[in-house]
Amino acid sequence: MVNPDSHALVSARAAGAYRASAKALAEEPEEIVRLVKDSGLRGRGGAGFPTGLKWTFLPKNRDATYLCVNADESEPGTFKDRLILEKDPHLLIEGIVIACHAIRCAHAYLYIRGEFCLPYERIRAAAAEAYAAGLLGPNAGGSGQPIDLTIHRGAGAYICGEETALLNSIEGKKGQPRMKPPFPTNVGLFGKPTVINNVETLANLPFIVENGPDAYRAIGTEKSPGTRLMSVSGHIEKPGVYEVAHGVPMRGLIEDLAGGVRGGRKLKALIPGGSSTPVLTAEEAYAVNVDFESVQATGSMLGSGGCIVMDETTDMVWALDKLAHFYAHESCGQCTPCREGSGWIAEIVQKIAAGNGTRKDLEKLESLAAQIVGNTICVFSDALAMPVVSHVTKFRAEFEAHLADRASSSAAP
């Protein structure tokens, strides 16, 4: 039975919350870093970078360190961090306390997506409860260590999920990515060494500290230990967030847990890790497992775990049209290839979707996608190019069927 008050401190404590943070605060920070490195925990924001290893990139000698919690979650198809913020915000705060102790941070910032109304209310209320209970503040958990938490609400820009744009936004600057290097672990928030971790990543820490890295590694695969929150949406009988062990078959997630494709139709395509990851055909999707390495072997990525299901009636040109429009709208405009290329790509896809495109337009679309990859400050342009290339390559016949000169094309030698 679901506890309607699971977000409250009394419910969280009844379920064992803050036992792990008390244990962590009694240990040396280096020991917590070792535990997390040994657990093999990988970031859940998209890249899957090892969390403990990222922490070790901080300079040894530093006068201040910040932790930034990325709760922007703007990737279309992804809504698992929202669930943690709404239903179990104290799990996140406990993870923040553990991370702050491990990296010797006295002040964490949580950057939350502007459109998240209930999650914002819940995390604010949970932070107030944690302060009142002495779990946050000048003597966090009775450890003598100060740990403060500032909650910063974004204004709804997708690009602010990029870690350095997030830093600029917190500092009151325009939310645009920074050149790297220097990386945030050396020059981050307010010019100080900064670790940026995703909500779900930090929510894994209490289990690791309380049960040990071996218990964590007993779940999942060797290279993708632990569980994963998968957001399942689209043409599916039971859309929602599902926690599964890494390594389970994607077919089991779609057909068993999520009830199968809506209306008994056949699966046509699946986006496995949020809108920016390359689309999979039905055959690819049913052959893959839910872990980083298995999805990567198909040429796609598990990314943020945003699984978008498309049934056999889906017009793949229409689907790419919607994605291209989103990315053109959300480009921050800082880099010319992205600013001009994203708009150009969206215009061409829309032209093809409307039945007015030509073979030259399709060739230009592929050429533009190839030219913007890797030529901008951040990976936003890659996030657009990958869906374009995968949609056109894997469903080329549908794109060609939309072309205005398709008859002459087929007749051409």
Side-chain angles (χ1 to χ4, degrees), residues 14 47 53 85 128 138 202 206 215 235 249 347 357 360 375 381 385 404 411:
L53 180 62
L85 292 160
L202 294 170
H235 299 150
E347 185 179 314
K360 285 189 176 180
N375 287 319
S381 58

Side-chain angles (χ1 to χ4, degrees), residues 83-103:
L83 198 70
I84 295 173
L85 292 160
E86 289 180 0
K87 303 296 184 184
D88 202 355
H90 283 288
L91 178 66
L92 172 59
I93 292 175
E94 186 175 17
I96 291 171
V97 170
I98 294 169
C100 282
H101 179 62
I103 65 172

